[in-house]
Every structure is written in structure tokens, then in C-alpha cells.
Amino acid sequence: MSVFAPATPFADFIYRHFRSVHALKLGLALLVAVTINAIWAPPHFIWSMVTIVVIMMSLPQVGGAIEKSLQRAIGTCLGSAYGVMLVATVDSYWLIMSLLILAVSLICFISAGRYSYAYLVSGFTIIIVVGDANHDTSEALWRTANILSGCVIAILVSLFIFPIKAKQDWRSQLTHAIDNMAEVLAQHLKAPANHDLDFRAKLEAAMKAVLTQKKLFFSLEWESKTLKKHKVLLSQLANKQVRLITLLELLPLTRWQEEDKDAYLQINAVASELAFYLQQLAEFVAGKAQQLPTLPECLEQELQHRLQLALASATIASTIVTSTTASITDSNAAAIDGEVPQGFALTGYSWLIYQLAIAVEALYEDIAIIEIAYNKQPASQITSGKAD
């Protein structure tokens, strides 16, 4: 099923109450650990509970819990193996501590990138296992077993008890970002000349949604093979949203006089179509539309042609002056007063709208590729999402 398909009522309920569900799942995982401890009472079982809290507390999504559990398990095994080796083979306290410090320092040096958490876990596991170097290997092995059991409990609870999917969170954040951008564009186009509307809150919300999408990338890879194959596309999609937000930030800076309103309204009539396309895209991503909306063929070329016509007609209307001398005088006076000539302002504004069209089309292209990949259509059918 496509990542953009309408969510089931159960999945929608979980997402809308994910904080409560997450707290409940953490409590259930700890209850499982406490029950195991009450029945078998293994030594140092507290490490199982600590592991559950560390893994599940900050990562409610299934993919995130799996990713962190595996990294913790790998780090624990490596750190424990090195620690047990030190305790079993080295008798000198200072030699053990020297080798421990050397290993932890080396781990700190090489720790970076996606698997930095595994390096971190291996480092403090060595310290936990070695301790004060006055215990036998059985204590170290029990600690390792308990940490691994905590990883298993965290994964099983995350997978099978009210699973919170990163895919739904990613789709919701993508919808939120596109919807905010569409609203900003629509409000700007309906605003009067020299408006003082403040779009910062909506654009900041859109940017925050994009950043949240980026944080979910690793979780998405564990939950969806399709998205894992297109992980580069996910990053590109986020970057294209940032570009669109940057272009929208320039809109409030555009100003024109009331007498020039008609010229700008011609361009805004073209730009209003972009707001409509963005709103349609947001509805599809949110699961409110069954099919991806289509864009006109060669959208940017068509808009460019129409913008040029609007710009030309506006320029002709604005250049009907009494004489060439008067026009030159007015131009010089405008330069002295620091005003921007109207023709240049219109050209710059039309360029901004044209770039917005390119950015909107780029969003459609990436989302169309993801949708087609979920439908398992042939690669030859992966197009830019435009109508033929």
C-alpha cells in the first residue's frame, strides 16, 4: 500500500494520540522486564530496564526503535567482548585500566556518522564490564545478557503493540509543510498593495516540518523497503521544500504602488495557479485524494510565456508618457530618491513567480516517483507527474 494512501482509523487514532500510546508502550515494556525479573531473578537485571528506557524514551517510531536497539546490541556485544577479554586475561590493575582508556579514546576518535550511537554504547559497555577490575567474567556476561534482553523487549513491544509508524509521521510533516507554503502564497496573492502581513510563523512552521522529516529518514529505511531504495530522493525532496520556503520568504519583500496594482495583478493571476497546485498536492499527500493531481505539460514554459505577455502589456501601459524628455527626467528623479524603476520591479517579481513554478514542479516530480515506486510500475513509467 502506498505511503500516501488514506490511513486506517486505527493507525490514525495511534498517530493522533502517539504521546499517550508511546507512554503506554514504555510502561508495558518495563512491566515485561519486571515480570521476568520476578519469575527468574537474574543478576543485574536492572540493566535490562535501563536499556528499555534508553531505547524507547526518545524514539516512539518502530523504525527508530529497531535502529537504536540494533546499534545498542552491536555496541554492547563488542564492548562486552573486549571488557571480558581484559578481565579474563590481564591481572594487573594498571594494565587493565590503561587498555580500557586506550580503547575508549580510540572509540571516541573514530565515532562519527550514522553508527555513532553503537560506538558510544561500546565505549561505556567496556567501562561497565570492567568496572573496578575486581570481579570475574560471570558478572560481565550477566550484564551483557541483560542489556541484550532489554533490546529484544524494546523491539518486540515497538513492533507488535500499537506500532507507531515513522511513515505516517513523515507524511504528516510533508503535508504540513506543503499546506503552510500554499497558504502563504495564497494569502500574499490576495493581499492589497504594500501589505504588512507577517508570514514568518507559517514559514517557520514549514521549515520545522522539513527538519522533522529529515530526522525520520533512518526510521523510514527500517519500515519501508520502497523508501529505503529512494532514500536519496527523500533528501532531495526535503531540500526542494527548503528552496520553495526560501522563495516564499522573498514575497513579503515585494512592494508596489497602488497605481501599479493592475500590472501586478496580471502576474498574480498566473501565480494563483501555483497556490492551487500546492493545495492539491497537500491533499494528496494527506490521503484526501486517491490519485496524484497532474500538472499541465511544460508548466514552467507555459507560465514563462504567460508572464512575459503580462509583463510586456504592463510595460507598454506604463510607458505612455508625454515625451521622451519627461521620461528621462522622471527616471533620474527616481534614481535620486532611491526608488526602483517599475519595469525592473515587475521583471524581478515575474522571475520570482517563475522560480516558484519550477520549485512546485520539482515537488510534484519527486512525489510522483515515490507514488509510482509503491505501485510497482515499470521504471519507464516514472515521469514528472504531469499530464500527457
Side-chain angles (χ1 to χ4, degrees), residues 254-274:
T254 57
R255 293 290 186 268
W256 58 86
Q257 301 300 321
E258 188 65 29
E259 57 269 20
D260 303 315
K261 181 177 68 175
D262 292 341
Y264 279 90
L265 287 179
Q266 294 182 56
I267 298 178
N268 286 350
V270 178
S272 62
E273 298 181 23
L274 299 179

Side-chain angles (χ1 to χ4, degrees), residues 38-347:
I39 296 175
W40 287 288
H44 307 289
F45 198 74
I46 190 65
W47 285 106
S48 178
M49 300 178 68
V50 170
T51 300
I52 291 172
V53 172
V54 169
I55 291 175
M56 297 186 64
M57 181 70 78
S58 60
L59 292 171
Q61 295 87 4
V62 172
I66 295 175
E67 166 90 8
K68 197 166 187 178
S69 296
L70 292 177
Q71 289 202 37
R72 189 173 181 89
I74 293 172
T76 297
C77 291
L78 294 177
S80 177
Y82 184 79
V84 169
M85 183 271 294
L86 291 181
V87 173
T89 60
V90 181
D91 295 330
S92 171
Y93 171 82
W94 287 109
L95 182 57
I96 289 179
M97 291 304 171
S98 297
L99 293 174
L100 181 150
I101 294 172
L102 177 62
V104 173
S105 299
L106 179 61
I107 290 172
C108 178
F109 177 76
I110 63 176
S111 176
R114 176 172 181 173
Y115 302 103
S116 58
Y117 182 68
Y119 289 112
L120 171 65
V121 171
S122 63
F124 70 69
T125 299
I126 295 173
I127 297 176
I128 291 172
V129 169
V130 173
D132 58 3
N134 291 323
H135 54 265
D136 57 21
T137 56
S138 62
E139 184 176 347
L141 293 175
W142 272 115
R143 290 182 180 181
T144 302
N146 288 324
I147 292 174
L148 294 177
S149 67
C151 293
V152 173
I153 293 172
I155 291 177
L156 293 178
V157 172
S158 297
L159 278 174
F160 299 110
I161 299 179
F162 304 125
I164 302 174
K165 298 292 187 177
K167 291 187 296 183
Q168 189 167 358
D169 194 9
W170 173 78
R171 185 179 75 169
S172 177
Q173 297 299 330
L174 179 60
T175 302
H176 187 58
I178 297 175
D179 192 53
N180 273 278
M181 291 186 285
E183 190 171 346
V184 167
L185 181 56
Q187 288 182 3
H188 170 78
L189 298 176
K190 295 177 182 178
N194 295 320
H195 68 80
D196 57 354
L197 296 178
D198 189 355
F199 300 126
R200 286 178 297 178
K202 291 188 178 298
L203 292 177
E204 288 175 0
M207 183 62 74
K208 184 178 179 180
V210 175
L211 295 177
T212 303
Q213 293 173 43
K214 292 183 177 182
K215 294 178 182 179
L216 295 171
F217 286 171
F218 289 155
S219 298
L220 291 172
E221 292 182 27
W222 285 100
E223 291 184 13
S224 172
K225 294 181 179 179
T226 302
L227 293 180
K228 185 176 182 179
K229 294 178 180 178
H230 294 82
K231 58 183 179 181
V232 176
L233 185 63
L234 294 178
S235 180
Q236 292 176 353
L237 181 61
N239 293 335
K240 290 174 181 178
Q241 293 173 70
V242 173
R243 170 176 168 75
L244 186 51
I245 292 172
T246 303
L247 291 170
L248 291 172
E249 287 177 340
L250 298 176
L251 283 179
L253 303 179
T254 57
R255 293 290 186 268
W256 58 86
Q257 301 300 321
E258 188 65 29
E259 57 269 20
D260 303 315
K261 181 177 68 175
D262 292 341
Y264 279 90
L265 287 179
Q266 294 182 56
I267 298 178
N268 286 350
V270 178
S272 62
E273 298 181 23
L274 299 179
F276 173 73
Y277 295 142
L278 277 175
Q279 290 169 350
Q280 280 194 321
L281 185 61
E283 291 181 359
F284 169 75
V285 173
K288 298 179 181 179
Q290 294 183 353
Q291 293 184 345
L292 177 68
T294 56
L295 293 177
E297 185 70 18
C298 301
L299 171 66
E300 72 277 8
Q301 288 88 347
E302 179 183 342
L303 287 181
Q304 184 183 31
H305 177 67
R306 292 167 60 188
L307 287 169
Q308 287 174 344
L309 293 177
L311 182 60
S313 61
T315 303
I316 293 173
S318 64
T319 53
I320 301 178
V321 293
T322 57
S323 65
T324 305
T325 304
S327 177
I328 296 175
T329 302
D330 292 341
S331 179
N332 292 335
I336 294 174
D337 294 337
E339 298 177 358
V340 179
Q342 184 62 25
F344 177 80
L346 280 171
T347 303

